[in-house]
Amino acid sequence: MQDASKHYFNGHYINGGWVASIDGREMAVENPSTEEKIATITLGGVADADAAVAAAKAAFPAWAATDPEERIAALERLMEGYKSRAEDMAQAISTEMGAPIALAKTAQVGAGAGHLKNTIRAAKAFAFERPLGDHAPGDMILYEPVGVCALITPWNWPMNQVMLKVAPAMAAGCTVVLKPSELSPLSAILLAEMIDAAGFPPGVFNLVNGDGAGVGAHLTAHPDVDMVSFTGSTRAGVAISKAAADTVKRVSLELGGKGANIIFADADEKAVTRGVRHCFNNSGQSCNAPTRMLVERSIYDQAVETARAVAEKTEVGPADIEGRQIGPVVSETQFNKIQYLIKHGIDEHAALIAGGLGRPDGLNRGHFVRPTIFADVTPDMTIWKEEIFGPVLCISPFDSEEEAIALANDTPYGLTNYVQTTDKSRARRVARRLRSGMVEMNGKLGGAGSPFGGMKHSGNGREGGVWGLEEFLEVKAVSDWE
């Protein structure tokens, strides 16, 4: 088996071992801080995807029939391996997608460990067989694995999204084919080594590197794939749903976002600073980032000045430097998209109060974006409507609670919204009316195992905890069980 520390990866993890690509082509993996090639992978093709699906299909009956305790034990072994190689994982993530090393060691690697831990906890407490109720003696409800699952993950939080899918799918008794983003494949290759070391049966976990047009599209339409779980853009999610329809497979989607952060006049004094930093975290490359800050008019001018100061103090630098800086965005393509949208903001006469076009001073190489803030952004502007996926914040005023809710909901997306107020009654009232799958209030994150997902164009699935486990289970009703 290949070592993830090598720089060339010419195969895929299929049926419990590394095999050479059947019909793939080479692709360079780039360090976004330096724009230098750090590895070469082979992108799989149709034949590689077919081989992985065949292995998963062959392994499914035996894996589905195992006791949940056996599957949980395998995940617990994986947890030990994951913790023992945390440093390797942090270095891989930092190098391949540009997360500053301090962020990679804590949030990026920690997210994977946390989701694995929460999956194990949820699986231990889950009743895979349960009676319908006292009113129907003898009726039993069985929760059974969906089958072969294609898991397609993005580059921005590699282990966060991979573990949100791989761990609950295998805990449920499904077999999987993982297609990680071709921009951040090294962390997934490292995870494959850990899964192999944990002793999962051959065929339960399979990995094929590839792009969306090749491997991703083929897996989505494959007749032997029973479910597709996808995290990525809304555009791709729509295409996946259409392609999957012909085989009536289950599709779970976690897509884009354009979260509103509603700051009322009575919010705590750190609310604006917290909101700017949250938006810029991971260089703005988070689907749940609070990218639209809505501020009550009586404190609007002060909020704009505070936001400007935070942006100007935000350091930007290479990912391998220890510190609290934000790193580069993942690729030249992503950099160019962000620059295009910043120019749109300028051309549409939003007030540019920090940042702007080009790289930060002193950084002439790498995909670095200036921390950027626009004020007086209105709903007709492009930067209000489109997900920018970079360190760009839009600020707008509101005059009433009703207007704040209307502005927050004025988007096709519905992933995460944020509310800042010390009035608990108002906070709950607003939270109920926001059209999003998640609402975070006053800087408090959701608890361990809280369901992650959205509505509208942000998708239809829920990941994490018991909800993540249920995503990969079918419900069977059986009468006269006893």
Side-chain angles (χ1 to χ4, degrees):
M1 181 170 54
Q2 296 177 6
D3 186 337
S5 66
K6 293 182 179 178
H7 295 290
Y8 187 80
F9 306 96
N10 66 348
H12 310 295
Y13 188 84
I14 298 175
N15 197 33
W18 293 98
V19 299
S21 176
I22 299 169
D23 60 357
R25 65 188 190 278
E26 291 185 0
M27 174 183 165
V29 180
E30 180 189 270
N31 181 335
S33 289
T34 63
E35 302 183 50
E36 296 175 352
K37 184 175 79 171
I38 55 172
T40 301
I41 62 169
T42 300
L43 295 180
V46 168
D48 300 299
D50 285 342
V53 172
K57 183 179 179 180
F60 175 69
W63 184 243
T66 57
D67 289 334
E69 290 78 10
E70 183 177 338
R71 302 196 293 266
I72 291 167
L75 290 174
E76 289 177 329
R77 293 193 298 272
L78 176 58
M79 173 64 88
E80 292 305 310
Y82 188 90
K83 290 191 293 187
S84 71
R85 301 195 67 180
E87 178 64 26
D88 293 339
M89 183 62 77
Q91 294 293 337
I93 292 172
S94 181
T95 305
E96 70 187 355
M97 59 75 59
I101 188 62
L103 181 73
K105 289 179 179 179
T106 54
Q108 289 276 5
V109 173
H115 294 316
L116 180 53
K117 179 181 179 180
N118 291 328
T119 296
I120 292 169
R121 179 191 294 120
K124 285 181 176 180
F126 195 86
F128 288 88
E129 298 181 1
R130 62 187 74 171
L132 177 60
D134 294 341
H135 68 287
D139 280 33
M140 186 65 70
I141 305 299
L142 310 181
Y143 288 80
E144 298 181 343
V146 169
V148 175
C149 298
L151 313 178
I152 303 174
T153 58
W155 46 262
N156 57 321
W157 287 88
M159 278 301 103
N160 180 72
Q161 281 117 341
V162 167
M163 202 66 84
L164 273 173
K165 300 181 190 300
V166 169
M170 297 195 304
C174 297
T175 54
V176 306
V177 178
L178 171 65
K179 190 210 84 66
S181 170
E182 63 273 25
L183 297 179
S184 58
L186 307 184
S187 52
I189 291 169
L190 188 58
L191 179 66
E193 293 186 350
M194 298 177 192
I195 290 173
D196 183 79
F200 284 82
V204 170
F205 172 86
N206 307 275
L207 180 150
V208 180
N209 284 310
D211 58 20
V215 173
H218 188 63
L219 290 174
T220 298
H222 201 294
D224 290 334
V225 170
D226 301 291
M227 175 180 175
V228 177
S229 179
F230 169 77
T231 299
S233 72
T234 299
R235 175 192 54 78
V238 170
I240 285 171
S241 296
K242 291 178 178 178
D246 288 340
T247 49
V248 201
K249 56 172 57 72
R250 184 184 295 188
V251 177
S252 178
L253 302 174
E254 195 274 282
L255 308 176
K258 193 71 177 177
N261 186 8
I262 303 174
I263 300 180
F264 288 95
D266 67 343
D268 70 88
E269 61 182 9
K270 296 180 180 179
V272 173
T273 298
R274 185 170 63 239
V276 176
R277 288 176 176 168
H278 193 169
C279 177
F280 291 168
N281 187 45
N282 204 42
S283 300
Q285 300 172 123
S286 300
C287 53
N288 62 337
T291 54
R292 292 182 299 142
M293 181 178 286
L294 311 180
V295 183
E296 192 164 2
R297 194 175 297 275
S298 63
I299 61 167
Y300 181 73
D301 290 344
Q302 181 57 53
V304 168
E305 288 305 311
T306 299
R308 183 208 305 271
V310 174
E312 290 176 347
K313 291 177 182 176
T314 299
E315 296 181 3
V316 183
D320 61 348
I321 296 175
E322 289 282 355
R324 296 186 62 183
Q325 81 278 15
I326 64 172
V329 296
V330 72
S331 66
E332 182 179 12
T333 298
Q334 189 67 17
F335 176 88
N336 289 338
K337 175 195 171 189
I338 296 165
Q339 298 300 304
Y340 169 81
L341 289 169
I342 291 174
K343 188 173 187 305
H344 256 291
I346 295 169
D347 292 345
E348 293 177 356
H349 307 295
L352 180 66
I353 65 165
L357 294 167
R359 293 185 179 94
D361 293 342
L363 294 170
N364 299 317
R365 188 172 178 81
H367 308 307
F368 297 98
V369 175
R370 299 172 70 189
T372 297
I373 296 181
F374 287 100
D376 305 338
V377 179
T378 55
D380 60 315
M381 294 180 180
T382 303
I383 57 174
W384 173 282
K385 300 173 184 177
E386 294 196 21
E387 185 180 35
I388 300 173
F389 229 62
V392 181
L393 175 64
C394 301
I395 309 181
S396 306
F398 67 86
D399 291 300
S400 68
E401 179 181 314
E402 196 69 26
E403 184 186 13
I405 294 168
L407 288 171
N409 288 336
D410 183 26
T411 172
Y413 296 106
L415 188 59
T416 312
N417 284 305
Y418 302 79
V419 180
Q420 320 295 329
T421 177
T422 54
D423 183 337
K424 272 293 187 182
S425 295
R426 175 163 58 192
R428 293 169 184 153
R429 189 168 61 242
V430 172
R432 288 190 181 97
R433 296 184 59 191
L434 292 173
R435 294 284 294 161
S436 57
M438 298 169 285
V439 179
E440 292 186 9
M441 298 199 287
N442 298 317
K444 188 177 187 301
L445 301 176
S450 179
F452 189 98
M455 57 180 70
K456 302 194 292 184
H457 287 196
S458 290
N460 54 24
R462 292 295 181 273
E463 297 181 314
V466 66
W467 293 272
L469 196 62
E470 289 176 344
E471 284 281 279
F472 295 97
L473 292 168
E474 297 279 15
V475 179
K476 178 184 288 182
V478 183
S479 64
D480 200 25
W481 181 264
E482 295 178 352

